[in-house]
């Protein structure tokens, strides 16, 4: 018999930080991984290493396996039978490798230096290299279920001669699912095994590409799942309903391994299916979703967290004390499902930093090993008094159970017997896979590597909506050790930055809304990043980020000597400004009414601090696709274009309620009206706000018909524009431009544009190319590269340049983050993928 797949997810409430389990995690981990030795199929040279075969005098079982003459020896048997089945095999290899990929410090290494889980997984990937015969022929299943899945008393542990004739041809996959699983497994193996054997990693990558091309073909044909193997009178051996999740897993791992954007595009194009079951051979959503989150691709963590939410809803309550707190969605395979659910929760903990996920992992593993208030029975063979009567043909004949195997477990009420039955005591490849990753997570928590910093209390900021005129922002966090730390505060729209530094393990700070660079803007979101050094635990990465949703009001900071006055409306010369230019109104010419002409009557005593200000009602009406109306001021008495020099910000005081005003620079080379600008949100009561808009944050609107570079050498006017159909009343005062230096407009401006490029990083060949934006390229640049564990692996200094190139040879394949530091100020981090070549 085979069991149905099970798999899924949750959204939890916060709880206290979990304590280390009262069991030997190292021993449990080694025992669980060791199970896969007992599933090794025969090899012609007798080298499989399966403990059952040590006393067999004849050749190991099934060493002659092949498909039309292509050898398929080795690999793993699926369960207690002699079948090799691709769906659970592909999932198992991928899940085992993902556990190592995320928690590499938690796996023991052999005398050759290779982690034990990679030694076991390589048995599986060696087989996959054979099973992928070509990009049109991928073997899924091998063996005759009516012979190789007979009752365990009907054939002994050899079974090599009687079924020889039936194992010369396998079932070829005709759907997306199995080839995609193979591709994901081999692509990930090429990443994690490259440091031990580059040639083998290359072989894995080439076969992964072949399997992916087979999956692409099936996808184009609409065949999401492969035709399953059946056993007469017992139906299909494994059920599966989806291929998109496996395809996403394959695409994102191949993107990591190669850096080729075509694979990234595949991952982004796929929508995660909703599968009402926990992670397993039928559901790769959590694994694919986690890796897409880690790479910043597509649907990101949505699929993982949706699955976690499903798991949480299917926990047993106090009315079922034997299973309380345990994920249950079936009356069969509950022990397998608990381990799989635990690994999903570990990944969700990394994404969210939610302590309840960590507690859930501990609960599932406690229950699995008999360390639970309602269950004292271990369901791991050979661990803590585990089961002994295992549903496994070789175990029955030799009387020696497969040590480390996770058995099916009890029914949904907790009833269980140690009785050889498949319902209670079956073992199989996929039963262990999730639990091994979950235990690796708990090992890392209990015994972090030397120097690793954990964050027991995540970065918190409050309030979420702040008016700095009446309150400040509090910042707090707690670290596991004393370190130097920095809080990097950054406005999402303004680009303004503020750094708060300190040392210690407890962080309790106050931010008053000031900035080191630029000015924070009303209505924008603000993001906070805690930098506690190179050694922050990967699973606490999400705890280093926080944000406030919106700034409702900013404190007024004085003008500086660099702020050049345009108009404060105190000279009695309206409509002229302080530079001799003039103020005027404008509209779209069709739907919106032109505001009243600006005269002395527009100047009001209700300006900032009771001084005169310019007050005007902007009347917008529907009719045009993009209706607009506004006021503007020129920079010359004759209103001709002027060169503004190299200004750095536009500063002004403004008062309005519940509207948005776009500050724009009207340059002559833009002919469709899509001028560079910045939208200022004015919300709540009619209060004065001082706004400083960095020139570097000006952008063309989305409706621009042609893309133009920002050019400040030929500017007609500074505009305050309302796009909409209501009638807001707006008052402005104290208009300045920082570092304004006027001269005649440059008639050759169109031939010499100022490129406002963004900071970016890209890999070309074996080098990382890094370009700073024009706004950031001031001062000395220090470039730092971090691996996914948060460890800094490269740090180099450059002087007097905004374009640099760093060789990446010597770095292992993986995902990295590059951060530029200019005179102590951190530039937005960028992620890149390095294939290790």
């Amino acid at each position: 018999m085979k069991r149905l797949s099970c798999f899924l997810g949750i959204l939890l409430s916060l709880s206290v930080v979990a304590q280390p389990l009262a069991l030997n995690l190292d021993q449990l981990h080694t025992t669980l991984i060791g199970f896969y030795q007992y599933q090794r199929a025969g090899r012609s040279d007798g080298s499989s290493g399966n403990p059952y075969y040590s006393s067999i005098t004849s050749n190991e079982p099934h060493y002659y396996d092949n498909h039309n003459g292509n050898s398929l020896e080795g690999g793993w048997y699926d369960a207690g039978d002699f079948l090799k089945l691709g769906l659970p095999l592909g999932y198992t290899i991928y899940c085992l490798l993902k556990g190592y990929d995320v928690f590499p410090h938690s796996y023991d290494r052999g005398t050759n230096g290779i982690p034990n889980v990679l030694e076991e997984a390589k048995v599986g990937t060696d087989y996959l290299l054979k099973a992928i015969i070509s990009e049109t022929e991928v073997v899924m299943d091998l063996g005759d279920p009516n012979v190789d899945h007979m009752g365990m008393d009907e054939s002994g542990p050899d079974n090599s001669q009687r079924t020889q004739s039936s194992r010369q041809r396998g079932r070829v996959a005709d759907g997306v699912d199995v080839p995609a699983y193979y591709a994901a497994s081999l692509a990930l193996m090429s990443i994690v095994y490259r440091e031990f054997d580059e040639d083998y990693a290359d072989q894995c990558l080439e076969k992964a590409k072949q399997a992916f091309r087979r999956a692409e073909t099936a996808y184009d044909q609409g065949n999401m799942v492969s035709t399953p193997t059946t056993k007469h009178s017992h139906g299909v051996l494994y059920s599966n309903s989806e291929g998109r999740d496996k395809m996403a897993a394959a695409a994102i791992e191949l993107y990591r391994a190669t850096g080729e954007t075509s694979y990234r595009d595949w991952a982004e194009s796929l929508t995660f299916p909703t599968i009402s079951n926990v992670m397993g051979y039928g559901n790769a959503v959590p694994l694919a979703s986690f890796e897409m989150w880690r790479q910043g691709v597509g649907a990101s963590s949505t699929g993982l967290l949706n699955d976690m939410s499903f798991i949480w809803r299917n926990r047993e309550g106090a009315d079922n004390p034997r299973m309380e707190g345990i994920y249950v969605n079936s009356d069969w395979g509950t022990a397998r499902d608990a381990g799989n659910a635990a690994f999903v929760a570990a990944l969700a903990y990394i994404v969210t930093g939610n302590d309840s996920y960590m507690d859930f992992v501990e609960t599932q593993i406690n229950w699995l090993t008999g360390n639970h208030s309602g269950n004292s029975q271990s369901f791991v063979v050979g661990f803590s008094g585990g089961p002994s009567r295992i549903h496994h043909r070789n175990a029955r004949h030799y009387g020696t159970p497969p040590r480390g195997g996770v058995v099916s477990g009890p029914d949904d009420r907790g009833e269980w017997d140690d009785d050889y039955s498949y319902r209670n005591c079956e073992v199989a490849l996929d039963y262990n896979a999730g639990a091994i990753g979950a235990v690796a997570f708990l090992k890392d928590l209990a015994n972090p590597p030397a120097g690793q910093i954990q964050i027991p209390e995540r970065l918190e900021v409050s309030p979420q909506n702040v008016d700095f005129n009446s309150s400040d922002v509090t910042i707090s966090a707690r670290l596991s050790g004393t370190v130097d730390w920095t809080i990097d505060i950054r406005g999402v729209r303004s680009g303004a930055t503020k750094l708060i530094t300190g040392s210690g393990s407890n962080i309790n700070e106050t931010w008053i809304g000031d900035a080191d660079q630029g000015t924070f803007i009303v209505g924008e979101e603000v993001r906070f990043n805690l930098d506690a050094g190179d050694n922050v635990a990967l699973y606490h990465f999400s705890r280093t980020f926080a944000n406030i949703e919106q700034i409702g009001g900013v404190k007024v900071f004085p003008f500086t000597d660099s702020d050049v006055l345009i108009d404060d409306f105190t000279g009695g010369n309206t409509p002229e400004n302080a530079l001799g230019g003039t103020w005027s109104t404008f509209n779209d010419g069709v739907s919106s009414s032109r505001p009243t002409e600006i005269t002395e009557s527009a100047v009001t005593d209700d300006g900032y601090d009771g001084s005169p200000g310019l007050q005007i009602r902007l009347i917008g009406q529907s009719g045009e696709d993009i209706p607009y109306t506004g006021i503007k001021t020129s920079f010359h008495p004759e209103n001709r274009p002027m060169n503004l020099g190299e200004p750095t910000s536009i500063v002004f005081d403004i008062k309005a309620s519940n509207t948005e005003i776009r500050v724009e620079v009207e340059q002559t080379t833009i002919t469709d009206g899509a001028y560079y600008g910045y939208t200022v949100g004015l919300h709540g009561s009619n209060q004065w706000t001082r706004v400083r808009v960095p020139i570097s944050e000006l952008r063309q609107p989305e409706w621009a018909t042609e893309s133009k570079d920002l050019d400040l050498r030929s500017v007609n006017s500074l505009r305050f524009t309302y796009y909409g159909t209501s009638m807001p009343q707006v008052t402005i005062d104290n208009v300045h431009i920082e570092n304004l230096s006027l001269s005649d407009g440059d008639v050759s401006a169109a031939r010499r544009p100022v490129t406002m490029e963004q900071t970016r990083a890209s890999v070309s060949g074996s080098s990382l190319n890094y370009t700073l934006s024009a706004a950031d390229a001031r001062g000395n640049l220090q470039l730092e590269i971090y691996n996914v564990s948060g460890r800094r692996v490269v740090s180099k200094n450059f002087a007097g340049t905004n374009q640099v190139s760093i060789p990446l040879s010597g770095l292992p394949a993986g995902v990295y983050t590059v951060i530029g530091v200019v005179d102590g100020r951190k530039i937005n981090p960028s992620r890149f993928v390095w294939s290790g070549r």
Side-chain angles (χ1 to χ4, degrees):
M1 285 288 284
K2 285 290 177 288
R3 54 257 175 268
L4 297 174
S5 151
C6 282
F7 210 65
L8 287 122
I10 88 183
L11 214 10
L12 309 165
S13 58
L14 288 174
S15 63
V16 298
V17 175
Q19 300 301 314
L21 293 174
L23 55 82
N24 189 324
L25 290 170
D26 290 334
Q27 181 185 0
L28 174 60
H29 208 216
T30 300
T31 302
L32 288 168
I33 294 172
F35 162 72
Y36 290 95
Q37 286 188 341
Y38 292 87
Q39 297 303 106
R40 292 180 180 182
R43 295 174 59 93
S44 57
D45 60 4
S47 67
S48 76
N50 187 320
Y52 285 126
Y53 301 156
S54 60
S55 60
I56 297 176
T57 56
S58 61
N59 289 317
E60 293 183 333
H62 308 128
Y63 67 86
Y64 44 75
D65 285 352
N66 70 86
H67 176 75
N68 295 338
N70 296 283
S71 174
L72 289 176
E73 69 172 20
W76 288 320
Y77 296 126
D78 173 58
D81 49 30
F82 284 129
L83 293 171
K84 298 177 185 178
L85 302 176
L87 187 63
L89 174 66
Y91 158 73
T92 297
I93 298 171
Y94 185 45
C95 189
L96 290 175
L97 292 176
K98 185 56 66 181
Y100 173 78
D101 184 32
V102 180
F103 306 110
H105 301 297
S106 296
Y107 291 81
D108 292 338
R109 295 180 178 238
T111 56
N112 59 3
I114 299 177
N116 54 0
V117 73
L118 295 189
E119 293 274 37
E120 293 303 325
K122 189 173 181 295
V123 173
T125 56
D126 284 348
Y127 177 79
L128 296 188
L129 294 178
K130 302 183 185 79
I132 303 169
I133 296 170
S134 69
E135 63 184 69
T136 60
E137 196 168 26
V138 175
V139 175
M140 178 175 77
D141 297 344
L142 188 68
D144 182 351
N146 300 303
V147 175
D148 295 318
H149 191 60
M150 292 166 59
M152 59 186 167
D153 289 328
E154 298 179 37
S155 178
D158 187 339
N159 198 29
S160 60
Q161 300 304 317
R162 185 159 61 86
T163 60
Q164 181 172 355
S165 61
S166 67
R167 302 178 71 98
Q168 307 296 304
R169 184 178 177 86
R171 175 179 289 277
V172 174
D174 55 4
V176 169
D177 51 1
V178 173
Y181 258 148
Y182 287 8
S185 298
L186 289 172
L188 183 51
M189 188 63 158
S190 77
I191 294 170
V192 298
Y193 209 79
R194 186 166 295 280
E195 64 176 298
F196 307 109
D197 188 334
E198 288 193 9
D199 290 340
Y200 186 76
D202 288 341
Q203 293 177 47
C204 289
L205 185 56
E206 285 307 309
K207 286 291 187 176
K209 292 176 180 179
Q210 287 186 15
F212 189 82
R213 286 192 287 270
R214 179 67 191 96
E216 280 185 301
T217 299
Y219 190 93
D220 292 340
Q221 295 170 342
N223 299 329
M224 291 296 106
V225 298
S226 298
T227 304
T229 296
T230 60
K231 180 176 185 291
H232 61 251
S233 78
H234 288 286
V236 300
L237 296 180
Y238 283 88
S239 63
N240 177 45
S241 61
E242 263 294 347
R244 288 174 293 170
D245 52 332
K246 291 84 173 170
M247 194 70 172
I252 196 62
E253 299 299 349
L254 277 164
Y255 172 61
R256 289 178 67 194
T258 66
E260 295 177 14
T261 56
S262 60
Y263 295 118
R264 178 190 177 100
D265 293 343
W266 255 109
E268 287 183 319
S269 70
L270 292 162
T271 302
F272 286 128
T274 300
I275 303 174
S276 298
N277 231 330
V278 73
M279 182 183 73
Y281 57 80
N283 185 354
V285 169
L287 299 176
S289 175
F290 172 79
E291 196 53 54
M292 289 173 69
W293 167 82
R294 201 157 57 155
Q295 307 304 319
V297 172
S300 193
S301 62
T302 302
L304 169 64
L305 296 183
N306 286 345
D307 273 14
M308 198 66 234
S309 180
F310 179 89
I311 292 172
W312 198 245
R313 294 194 304 270
N314 284 276
R315 293 173 304 153
E316 289 297 293
D319 60 333
N320 188 3
R322 294 180 181 178
M323 309 289 287
E324 184 176 1
I326 305 306
Y327 166 78
V328 177
N329 192 40
S330 171
D331 64 352
W332 179 28
T334 52
R336 167 200 58 193
D337 294 349
N340 285 340
F343 190 33
V344 174
L347 299 179
Y349 176 78
I350 294 175
V351 171
T352 66
N354 190 329
D355 288 332
S356 295
Y357 296 134
M358 177 172 57
D359 296 341
F360 180 82
V361 178
E362 181 178 357
T363 298
Q364 307 311 295
I365 300 303
N366 268 333
W367 176 85
L368 185 66
T369 55
N371 193 25
H372 178 270
S373 60
N375 174 52
S376 59
Q377 172 63 56
S378 169
F379 299 113
V380 180
V381 179
F383 184 84
S384 191
S388 59
R389 299 181 177 184
I390 310 305
H391 184 78
H392 194 287
R393 177 184 286 124
N394 292 352
R396 186 64 175 266
H397 279 272
Y398 278 97
T400 303
R403 180 177 172 80
V406 173
V407 300
S408 310
D411 63 17
D412 54 0
R413 298 302 301 172
E415 299 292 338
W416 180 82
D417 288 313
D418 192 1
D419 62 359
Y420 289 118
S421 72
Y422 72 88
R423 274 202 164 271
N424 291 319
C425 292
E426 182 183 32
V427 292
L429 293 180
D430 62 302
Y431 280 25
N432 283 47
I436 289 171
V439 174
F441 165 67
L442 293 175
K443 285 181 65 177
D444 206 322
L445 282 176
N447 296 293
Q452 180 173 285
I453 297 297
Q454 297 176 329
I455 307 178
E457 294 179 11
R458 68 180 305 147
L459 182 67
E460 297 279 2
V461 297
S462 65
Q464 285 295 293
N465 291 277
V466 59
D467 184 343
F468 285 108
N469 295 295
S470 58
S471 66
D472 298 323
V473 171
T474 61
I475 306 169
S476 64
R478 184 166 64 85
L479 313 175
S480 63
T482 298
V483 297
D484 294 332
W485 50 261
T486 299
I487 306 293
D488 187 330
I489 307 171
R490 188 174 297 270
V492 172
R493 293 175 62 187
S494 68
T497 59
K498 171 70 177 178
L499 297 181
I500 300 176
T501 61
S503 181
S505 59
N506 290 300
I507 298 174
N508 292 286
E509 297 291 330
T510 299
W511 175 47
I512 63 173
D514 58 324
D516 297 329
Q517 300 285 336
T519 301
F520 291 92
I521 303 283
V522 171
E524 76 171 332
E525 178 186 358
V526 181
R527 294 175 181 169
F528 298 72
N529 175 216
L530 166 61
D531 182 353
D534 301 344
N535 296 321
V536 172
L538 170 64
Y539 46 78
H540 281 171
F541 177 72
S542 65
R543 294 187 171 196
T544 63
F545 296 95
N547 71 301
I548 59 175
E549 295 174 357
Q550 179 176 282
I551 295 179
V554 296
K555 289 181 180 178
V556 175
F557 295 97
F559 295 108
T560 70
D561 293 340
S562 300
D563 295 328
V564 177
L565 178 66
I566 304 299
D567 211 337
D568 60 6
F569 308 102
T570 59
N573 57 352
T574 305
E576 293 182 357
N577 62 35
L579 302 176
T582 58
W583 288 92
S584 61
T585 62
F586 62 90
N587 70 344
D588 56 40
V590 178
S591 59
S592 298
S593 300
R594 181 182 296 276
T596 305
E597 291 297 325
I598 296 174
T599 63
E600 296 291 340
S601 63
V603 176
T604 174
D605 289 337
D606 189 26
Y608 180 77
D609 280 349
S611 64
L614 182 64
Q615 182 182 88
I616 197 162
R617 183 172 293 279
L618 303 174
I619 304 173
Q621 298 178 13
S622 60
E624 286 286 274
D625 290 338
I626 308 172
Y628 65 85
T629 181
I631 54 177
K632 64 182 180 179
T633 187
S634 61
F635 298 97
H636 190 275
E638 298 177 6
N639 296 334
R640 67 177 185 232
M642 297 295 290
N643 184 339
L644 306 189
E646 297 184 0
T648 51
S649 66
I650 303 168
V651 196
F652 55 93
D653 295 321
I654 188 167
K655 183 173 72 170
S657 290
N658 298 318
T659 192
E660 292 185 341
I661 299 297
R662 183 172 168 84
V663 185
E664 299 175 324
V665 176
E666 183 180 341
Q667 69 183 60
T668 59
T669 55
I670 293 178
T671 59
D672 62 354
Y675 301 119
Y676 275 81
Y678 182 93
T679 301
V680 178
L682 302 165
H683 306 285
S685 60
N686 197 31
Q687 296 180 342
W688 281 102
T689 299
R690 179 160 295 172
V691 177
R692 183 177 295 269
V693 177
I695 295 294
S696 62
E697 291 301 308
L698 301 182
R699 300 286 186 272
Q700 281 192 281
E702 294 181 356
W703 47 265
T705 59
E706 57 179 341
S707 178
K708 292 282 188 176
D709 293 316
L710 176 62
D711 191 335
L712 301 178
R713 290 167 299 169
S714 186
V715 175
N716 284 325
S717 65
L718 176 67
R719 297 162 42 117
F720 296 84
T721 311
Y722 166 67
Y723 292 91
T725 57
S726 61
M727 295 183 289
Q729 179 171 291
V730 178
T731 307
I732 62 172
D733 198 1
N734 301 320
V735 181
H736 296 70
I737 295 182
E738 184 182 10
N739 292 319
L740 175 69
S741 179
L742 285 176
S743 61
D744 287 339
D746 187 347
V747 296
S748 63
R751 295 194 299 272
R752 298 190 287 108
V754 177
T755 301
M756 300 299 291
E757 76 277 5
Q758 298 300 299
T759 297
R760 59 184 183 271
S762 62
V763 175
S764 177
S766 60
S767 296
L768 171 71
N769 298 321
Y770 189 82
T771 303
L772 281 171
S773 70
D776 289 329
R778 298 171 187 165
N780 295 325
L781 168 65
Q782 178 181 345
L783 214 55
E784 299 177 344
I785 298 178
Y786 297 81
N787 63 19
V788 292
S789 298
R791 182 179 297 278
R792 185 170 61 192
V793 294
V794 174
S795 179
K796 291 192 176 184
N797 294 303
F798 303 88
T801 181
N802 69 329
Q803 291 184 322
V804 297
S805 181
I806 295 179
L808 298 175
S809 55
L811 286 181
V815 180
Y816 294 88
T817 299
V818 58
I819 299 177
V821 183
V822 178
D823 293 339
R825 179 172 60 93
K826 288 191 173 182
I827 309 303
N828 282 334
S830 300
R831 283 191 172 184
F832 67 92
V833 177
W834 168 236
S835 63
R837 293 183 161 187

